[in-house]
Amino acid sequence: MHVIILGAPGSGKGTQSAEITKRFSLKHLSTGDMLRAEINSGSELGLAAKAVMDEGNLVSDDIILGMVAEQLKNSEKGMLFDGFPRTIAQAEGLDKLLAEEKSEISHVIELDIDTEEIVERMLARGRDDDNEDTIRNRLAVFNKQTAPLIEYYRSQNKLSTVLGSGTVEEIFARIEKVLSA
Ligand code: AP5
Ligand code: MG
């Protein structure tokens, strides 16, 4: 089983991923976490990515697909994709990578949550890219480049939309119901 968790910046993808991977024995693949690890390691890729991430823009599809392909090569387990794919090109690239292994995405969980609640959550956290200007741009980038994926997966009958507000436990219970069905 391969699952995608899709949602705006700050919608709770990372938080719910921790619960989902435990419950369904999936491997967590967060492209944001992978990029932050590159930044911390001081690599050239990290340096280039940091400038893009600090603005709240997207790192190039080629770099992202290259990183993901590397991870898929080394994994026997079902995956939980968090923060990836983020563009139609990434989604098509992922479909191709999985098809090479005679596999495919089983479910896409969309976290649906109000913008103002998201901004409050992120300002309270305070990651490097959690200042008001960058957050607004991340949300705009999401609406323009990532939101089209909702239709992409709906047309494949893979999309389930889950209400993303409430406690962590309440939201997880909604997701668990979808993935157990
Ligand atoms: P990424 O790391 O993916 O960040 P994001 O999508 O902006 O989302 P966040 O990680 O901020 O939020 P989340 O949805 O995981 O929510 P969380 O659980 O943390 O990407 C960062 C950047 O990397 C991008 O802008 C881009 O530049 C680049 N990048 C990454 N992937 C890429 C790709 N595929 N292509 C191109 N570029 C890419 O929750 C948020 C906060 O809310 C936390 O403090 C949490 O504790 C709190 N919270 C969570 N749930 C609840 C709840 N139920 N109630 C109250 N608070 C809650
Ligand atoms: Mg995250």
Side-chain angles (χ1 to χ4, degrees), residues 29-47:
L29 188 154
S30 157
T31 44
D33 288 352
M34 288 160 71
L35 290 168
R36 282 183 289 277
E38 289 288 341
I39 293 174
N40 289 334
S41 78
S43 71
E44 211 164 300
L45 194 162
L47 202 68

Side-chain angles (χ1 to χ4, degrees), residues 1-6 26 29 68 72 78-82 84-85 90-109 149 152-154 156-160 179:
M1 173 163 98
H2 297 302
V3 177
I4 294 171
I5 185 153
L6 182 65
L26 300 173
L29 188 154
V68 171
L72 284 179
M79 307 290 275
L80 174 64
F81 298 100
D82 159 10
F84 170 86
Q90 289 181 21
E92 289 172 348
L94 177 61
D95 283 348
K96 234 168 113 187
L97 285 170
L98 293 176
E100 282 166 16
E101 308 188 1
K102 308 219 177 334
S103 186
E104 63 174 324
I105 293 296
S106 342
H107 298 277
V108 179
I109 305 283
L149 295 181
Y152 181 85
Y153 290 114
R154 183 179 288 138
Q156 296 184 12
N157 281 320
K158 291 181 176 168
L159 188 82
S160 301
L179 294 180

Side-chain angles (χ1 to χ4, degrees), residues 5-17 28 30-36 39 49-61 63-65 67-68 82-87 90 111 113 117-118 120-127 129-130 134 137-139 141-142 146 164-172:
I5 185 153
L6 182 65
S11 58
K13 301 183 295 295
T15 303
Q16 293 300 325
S17 290
H28 186 204
S30 157
T31 44
D33 288 352
M34 288 160 71
L35 290 168
R36 282 183 289 277
I39 293 174
K50 183 167 176 24
V52 177
M53 290 164 76
D54 283 347
E55 296 284 314
N57 292 320
L58 296 185
V59 173
S60 81
D61 291 333
I63 289 180
I64 297 289
L65 281 167
M67 289 189 339
V68 171
D82 159 10
F84 170 86
R86 253 178 156 92
T87 62
Q90 289 181 21
L111 288 176
I113 176 171
E117 198 170 335
I118 283 180
E120 267 173 44
R121 282 185 188 179
M122 286 195 285
L123 287 175
R125 176 178 60 181
R127 205 170 68 193
D129 55 349
D130 285 340
T134 303
N137 189 43
R138 281 157 66 199
L139 289 167
V141 166
F142 174 81
T146 308
S165 66
T167 66
V168 172
E169 294 74 22
E170 284 166 345
I171 300 160
F172 178 62

